[in-house]
């Protein structure tokens, strides 16, 4: 009996040590960006709960973004969004839309690839939710530029 317990402890210890050395999974590319991890989504949702106060420039930018989205989709008000954080380097956008992967792809690519005449910060984090606000459809952020891409 003691031998069995000791063997189990050794096996558990070895498995624990083996798993500690594993590198985290590389982020998956999706919709012109990369997926945001679950932990980062939780952090972003906490930021969203604090609210965001729009400046006059932010309101104009949001209007231009909404016009671009409506034009891209060929419909009015199929997507709604709000900023939940913004500084010189990063913007967080909460996007409300139907659970339609085609729409999510079009909108995320538009918002990640267009800087709206330099008015959007380089780092963008998009949380896509359904109209009832309880189903996360996608969480996408800007791809980091690698050294090779920067040199080209």
């Amino acid at each position: 009996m003691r031998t069995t317990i000791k063997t189990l402890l050794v096996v558990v210890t070895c498995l624990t040590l083996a798993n500690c050395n594993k590198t985290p999974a590389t982020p998956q590319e999706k919709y012109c960006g990369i997926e945001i991890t679950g932990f980062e989504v939780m952090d972003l949702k906490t930021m969203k709960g604090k609210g965001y106060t729009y400046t006059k420039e932010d309101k104009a930018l949001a209007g231009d973004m909404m016009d671009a989205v409506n034009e891209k989709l060929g419909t009015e008000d199929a997507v709604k969004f709000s900023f939940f954080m913004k500084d010189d380097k990063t913007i967080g956008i909460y996007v409300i839309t139907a659970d339609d992967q085609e729409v999510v792809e079009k909108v995320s690519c538009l918002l990640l690839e267009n800087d709206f005449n330099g008015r959007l910060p380089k780092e963008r984090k998009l949380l896509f939710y359904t109209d009832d606000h309880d189903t996360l459809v996608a969480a996408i952020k800007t791809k980091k530029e690698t050294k090779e891409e920067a040199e080209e």
Side-chain angles (χ1 to χ4, degrees), residues 85-92 119-125 142 144:
M85 61 91 56
K86 182 175 179 269
D87 59 30
D88 292 340
K89 297 178 182 176
T90 307
I91 186 168
R119 296 184 292 164
L120 274 183
K122 283 190 179 258
E123 180 72 22
R124 298 166 201 156
K125 299 179 182 193
T142 310
K144 296 283 185 191

Side-chain angles (χ1 to χ4, degrees), residues 7 18-20 22 28 39 42-43 51-52 61 69 71 74 77-78 86 89 93 95 105-106 121 130 132-133 149 151:
T7 304
N19 285 332
C20 287
K22 288 188 176 179
Q28 297 294 315
F39 290 115
M42 290 189 299
D43 290 343
Y52 180 79
L61 173 60
V69 167
E71 183 179 322
D77 299 325
K86 182 175 179 269
K89 297 178 182 176
I93 305 172
V95 184
E105 181 174 10
K106 286 179 181 179
T130 56
D132 53 12
H133 302 266
E149 290 172 342
E151 291 172 357

Side-chain angles (χ1 to χ4, degrees), residues 32-118:
C32 303
I34 56 173
E35 289 184 312
I36 296 175
T37 66
F39 290 115
E40 193 172 359
V41 169
M42 290 189 299
D43 290 343
L44 295 174
K45 285 176 69 172
T46 301
M47 280 184 205
K48 184 203 167 295
K50 295 177 182 177
Y52 180 79
T53 304
Y54 285 81
T55 65
K56 189 176 183 180
E57 292 80 19
D58 291 340
K59 289 179 183 177
L61 173 60
D64 292 346
M65 291 168 64
M66 184 57 65
D67 291 344
V69 167
N70 287 339
E71 183 179 322
K72 177 84 170 180
L73 298 177
T75 62
E76 288 288 318
D77 299 325
V79 175
K80 298 177 183 85
F81 59 83
S82 62
F83 301 165
F84 60 84
M85 61 91 56
K86 182 175 179 269
D87 59 30
D88 292 340
K89 297 178 182 176
T90 307
I91 186 168
I93 305 172
Y94 189 77
V95 184
I96 306 299
T97 187
D99 189 358
D100 181 340
Q101 297 305 309
E102 186 179 330
V103 170
V104 172
E105 181 174 10
K106 286 179 181 179
V107 172
S108 66
C109 288
L110 174 72
L111 296 178
L112 292 175
E113 293 177 341
N114 188 338
D115 72 350
F116 291 88
N117 298 321

